[in-house]
Amino acid sequence: MTIDSIQLDGSPLPLETVEAVARHGASVQIADSAILRIEQARAHVDRLASSDQPYYGLNTGFGSLSQVRIEPDNVREVQKNIIRSHAAGVGDPLPVEVVRGMLLILAASLCRGHSGVRTELVHRIVDLLNKGVTPIVPSRGSVGASGDLAPLAHAALVLLGEGDAMYQDESMSGGKALKKAGLEPINPVAKEGLALLNGTHLMTSIGTLALCDIARLQDAALTGAAMAVDACRASDGPFDARLHKARNQVGQQDVARLMRERLAGSQIVNDHKENDPRVQDPYSLRAI
């Protein structure tokens, strides 16, 4: 089934949905329910940011500078600078499909309404996907489970009109790509720089696309194996459910079931039931 468009409503993304956007250009929209949650969370952040009390990442510095209060006039610049300072990746650029997957998963995460960003920020991320503007993101720089900080920072730079991007198969500055696509840069406010960098959206994108490929490879491998059994006039006995139930290994049981399904109706597998001098099939077939 071809997926032409998806809607982000804060719920988990199926693997095929990520692939449809990352690889096949499916369009993305944001559900009204998600917009409501985003706006409610943002209103709460605005109340905190205007308070005299210190709130980490809203009116304070980050990390070792968490005790330093940020004046209201400087909040936007601090949010920009945290993005700039973390855009320190190196190495070859990531594939376009991986970066698109990362942007989608980031937008989906923000649509849960727990990050305190503005709706216009999420819309702009979705605009990048729908307009075909893909940030150029170096492949080295993630700090693993602590977050894909550098890769996300390189992507976020393009939202600011900085960094570099691919647009219509051409590499150019982020600002030029936005202009060509008819988009305006975002000027991040309190909390947004932090929200853009926190997460494991890159490794999730890589893992998602790998799982999609693995599923296709497994399907092709099982189909090829079933054809080999048929071509060799082999038996379907080694795939009997009772044998694999005794082994009590779920994956093995699944493979045996899928082999039985592919061999169902075969007019060859029973050819050697009578008067066949072979004792058993080759090990490569029995061990599938």
Side-chain angles (χ1 to χ4, degrees):
M1 181 182 68
T2 301
I3 301 174
D4 296 321
S5 64
I6 71 161
Q7 189 173 69
L8 301 179
D9 59 8
S11 59
L13 295 174
L15 300 182
E16 59 270 19
T17 296
V18 176
E19 184 180 36
V21 175
R23 287 178 166 161
H24 307 305
S27 63
V28 183
Q29 287 80 40
I30 303 173
D32 291 341
S33 58
I35 291 174
L36 178 60
R37 287 195 300 273
I38 294 168
E39 290 176 343
Q40 289 173 337
R42 183 65 217 178
H44 182 61
V45 168
D46 286 337
R47 287 194 296 270
L48 296 179
S50 61
S51 168
D52 292 333
Q53 296 295 315
Y55 291 99
Y56 180 78
L58 300 185
N59 53 17
T60 73
F62 308 96
S64 61
L65 297 177
S66 60
Q67 302 300 316
V68 177
R69 291 293 298 272
I70 305 300
E71 296 300 323
D73 292 344
N74 296 327
V75 166
R76 288 177 180 263
E77 197 62 24
V78 169
Q79 294 298 316
K80 280 186 177 181
N81 285 342
I82 191 176
I83 295 172
R84 292 165 175 158
S85 65
H86 283 70
V90 296
D92 295 334
L94 289 164
V96 165
E97 63 182 29
V98 170
V99 177
R100 284 180 56 82
M102 179 176 73
L103 291 174
L104 175 65
I105 295 166
L106 170 60
S109 177
L110 297 176
C111 280
R112 296 170 64 191
H114 301 318
S115 300
V117 301
R118 296 168 299 165
T119 54
E120 47 261 57
L121 178 66
V122 189
H123 277 298
R124 186 63 75 250
I125 297 171
V126 169
D127 287 339
L128 295 185
L129 291 166
N130 290 337
K131 296 284 189 177
V133 176
T134 305
I136 295 176
V137 178
S139 56
R140 300 292 180 267
S142 172
V143 290
S146 292
D148 295 316
L149 303 178
L152 286 165
H154 281 279
L157 277 181
V158 175
L159 296 171
L160 308 183
E162 302 177 13
D164 297 295
M166 294 294 297
Y167 181 67
Q168 296 181 342
D169 297 322
E170 183 182 349
S171 172
M172 62 190 71
S173 70
K176 183 177 181 181
L178 291 182
K179 186 174 182 179
K180 280 180 169 287
L183 301 174
E184 293 291 329
I186 283 285
N187 192 9
V189 298
K191 184 70 168 62
E192 290 185 334
L194 200 61
L196 288 169
L197 304 191
N198 266 340
T200 53
H201 308 106
L202 168 62
M203 64 180 76
T204 305
S205 174
I206 293 172
T208 297
L209 296 177
L211 286 170
C212 291
D213 291 337
I214 288 168
R216 273 189 289 274
L217 287 170
Q218 183 189 38
D219 184 70
L222 286 169
T223 300
M227 292 172 67
V229 169
D230 237 16
C232 293
R233 299 168 62 90
S235 170
D236 59 355
F239 313 116
D240 190 303
R242 293 169 294 180
L243 298 174
H244 303 284
K245 183 179 180 181
R247 291 298 298 274
N248 199 31
Q249 209 289 327
V250 175
Q252 181 173 328
Q253 293 170 3
D254 286 343
V255 169
R257 173 181 55 79
L258 291 167
M259 286 296 293
R260 292 195 303 273
E261 290 176 0
R262 282 163 171 74
L263 290 168
S266 167
Q267 299 180 28
I268 299 177
V269 292
N270 293 324
D271 276 3
H272 62 94
K273 275 192 170 182
E274 298 179 5
N275 302 319
D276 194 313
R278 294 174 295 179
V279 176
Q280 62 182 8
D281 296 325
Y283 185 72
S284 59
L285 301 180
R286 291 184 285 118
I288 286 170

